[in-house]
Amino acid sequence: SRFTITNTGNVGIGTSSPKTELNIAANNSGQGAKLTIENSDTSITTDDIIGQIDFYANDASTNGTGAKVNIKAIATSAAGSNTALTFGTSDTTSATAVEAMRIDSSGALVLNNAGGDAQMYLGGTSGTNRMYLARSGGDSLLWNVTSGNMRFGTNDTERMRIDSSGNLLVGTTTT
């Protein structure tokens, strides 16, 4: 058989002895098991969810919200031609998981995309290769790989720069 449900409720696909609640076993040499979540909608637009995995844990809180975590594949452009993988987390005061991390179609890693007290971008964002660390109030560090510059600022104003020649610029952006 290709599909098994044991008397304890475990489901096996590709195995007759499932070890967990859902056990998918691969029979193809060296390829591993695959799980496909497909959205066959042909009218996907920006921010539509292509697929999602939710994790939920009940708790003893008075509102019974529990802890939630999710992983979403989302479209970041019309027709789903660009995508991102987001990771959301919550606490017992929140009714839903909120995006905490994103990997976009360029491979950039964005932590705390919603802002909050601090943000971090690793990789290309806004059309440039860079690493960006920021805190609310505008304190920031920007390393632009393309130009070789490293900039430091407060309140959205650049205060210091190390340019690609190694010059330390304080209070100016040119040598």
Side-chain angles (χ1 to χ4, degrees):
S1 69
R2 302 265 183 195
F3 181 81
T4 302
I5 300 176
T6 66
N7 60 355
T8 60
N10 288 356
V11 175
I13 300 173
T15 179
S16 59
S17 302
K19 297 172 185 67
T20 58
E21 289 83 2
L22 176 61
N23 188 168
I24 302 172
N27 294 327
N28 49 356
S29 177
Q31 297 300 309
K34 296 178 184 176
L35 173 64
T36 300
I37 300 173
E38 180 178 344
N39 183 334
S40 57
D41 183 359
T42 58
S43 60
I44 291 175
T45 60
T46 302
D47 294 327
D48 280 355
I49 298 170
I50 298 167
Q52 179 171 332
I53 300 172
D54 291 319
F55 304 88
Y56 179 79
N58 289 318
D59 67 1
S61 65
T62 56
N63 60 7
T65 57
K68 294 163 213 61
V69 176
N70 65 33
I71 301 171
K72 294 180 187 176
I74 63 167
T76 57
S77 64
S81 56
N82 290 317
T83 58
L85 189 60
T86 68
F87 299 82
T89 59
S90 74
D91 58 30
T92 57
T93 63
S94 177
T96 59
V98 176
E99 182 181 323
M101 182 173 77
R102 172 183 293 224
I103 302 170
D104 70 17
S105 59
S106 74
L109 173 64
V110 182
L111 301 175
N112 192 9
N113 195 37
D117 187 50
Q119 293 178 304
M120 182 166 76
Y121 298 86
L122 302 174
T125 58
S126 301
T128 182
N129 294 318
R130 63 185 184 169
M131 180 180 83
Y132 181 81
L133 304 171
R135 197 177 124 286
S136 64
D139 298 336
S140 65
L141 161 70
L142 170 68
W143 173 37
N144 188 316
V145 178
T146 304
S147 69
N149 291 333
M150 183 175 284
R151 302 175 192 172
F152 304 86
T154 58
N155 297 322
D156 297 324
T157 304
E158 184 176 328
R159 303 292 187 193
M160 181 174 72
R161 175 186 294 200
I162 301 171
D163 69 15
S164 59
S165 299
N167 298 313
L168 175 62
L169 310 173
V170 179
T172 184
T173 58
T174 59
T175 55

